Amino acid sequence: MAAAPEGKLWFYNQTRAYGCFSNFSPHPVVIDGHRYQTTEHYFQAMKFLGSEADMLDVVKAASPSQAARIGRDRRRPLRKDWETVKEDIMKKALLAKFTQHKSCQDTLLETAGLFLVEHTENDRYWADGGDHSWDPSTPHSNLGKNRLGVLLTELREDFLSGRVPLDAADDDSQVAHIASSSSAPKKKRSRLQ
């Protein structure tokens, strides 16, 4: 991958520099009392809230890639409010990861002053769609929305400003503030642990 233009930091692959920004990075998270292998596992599982069997398939997936494949399988019952809640769910996942893993948090904080861009042609919503000229000042003219990069940048700024404590995942009021309760499970999922 070429170097990002000044003021931006590109990331994508979990095995490269800044790989902890990827939802595929091997950093387990505990959210709502349940442990997920990666934030990708959590995010994809939440697509099937209300269908315990489908959620369990995602949670037990051997890799984040497999979890993503299951989550993208449109033969499975996608929750009706998904488009409304998906960003809140991602925020909740990121908050958990970057408060439960100090090394990830430190890496995120070290990027102060840079705009984070998930750089790949594979995704036009969460990433930049491969747009080498992605510019946060002109979001509507970019190929991809780079929502993961935007949310990570916002989370970092919230940490730095003190709006979100560095240990916010231990504080339910902060989790509720960062991620709306609409993404929280509505029923007990005892088999998901």
Side-chain angles (χ1 to χ4, degrees):
M1 179 181 305
E6 189 173 326
K8 297 179 201 168
L9 186 142
W10 287 343
F11 68 93
Y12 178 64
N13 190 310
Q14 71 273 15
T15 63
R16 297 196 175 156
Y18 304 99
C20 67
F21 297 166
S22 168
N23 286 317
F24 283 33
S25 73
H27 295 92
V29 291
V30 175
I31 300 174
D32 297 326
H34 301 286
R35 184 181 185 279
Y36 299 88
Q37 297 175 55
T38 66
T39 52
E40 188 70 19
H41 282 80
Y42 169 73
F43 180 78
Q44 297 297 339
M46 290 300 103
K47 289 180 175 180
F48 306 119
L49 192 62
S51 174
E52 187 170 340
D54 292 301
M55 288 179 75
L56 193 57
D57 286 346
V58 174
V59 170
K60 290 188 172 188
S63 69
S65 302
Q66 185 182 19
R69 277 193 300 279
I70 294 168
R72 293 177 185 136
D73 181 353
R74 292 293 64 94
R75 294 172 294 181
R76 293 176 184 259
L78 183 69
R79 61 191 278 180
K80 292 182 183 354
D81 64 349
W82 181 245
E83 291 303 315
T84 304
V85 301
K86 69 183 179 184
E87 288 210 11
D88 286 337
I89 289 168
M90 183 64 77
K91 288 177 188 178
K92 190 170 187 174
L94 296 174
L95 178 66
K97 179 181 189 175
F98 288 92
T99 54
Q100 294 173 20
H101 295 279
K102 179 108 172 67
S103 62
C104 294
Q105 185 182 88
D106 290 346
T107 301
L108 182 62
L109 295 175
E110 289 167 5
T111 67
L114 297 174
F115 199 88
L116 305 178
V117 179
E118 184 180 30
H119 183 61
T120 179
E121 295 176 359
N122 300 333
D123 192 331
R124 289 187 178 187
Y125 186 83
W126 295 109
D128 68 355
D131 185 357
H132 287 277
S133 62
W134 199 90
D135 186 345
S137 67
T138 58
H140 299 295
S141 65
N142 296 315
L143 182 60
K145 293 184 177 192
N146 184 42
R147 292 304 300 155
L148 181 57
V150 169
L151 294 177
L152 283 167
T153 301
E154 290 174 356
L155 178 60
R156 182 197 64 216
E157 295 308 308
D158 285 346
F159 282 148
L160 291 171
S161 71
R163 285 187 297 268
V164 175
L166 297 175
D167 60 353
D170 297 332
D171 180 349
D172 289 338
S173 67
Q174 285 297 323
V175 171
H177 170 74
I178 298 299
S180 78
S181 60
S182 64
S183 63
K186 301 289 189 265
K187 67 177 197 172
K188 186 176 180 182
R189 299 175 304 164
S190 59
R191 293 177 39 205
L192 296 179
Q193 290 185 345

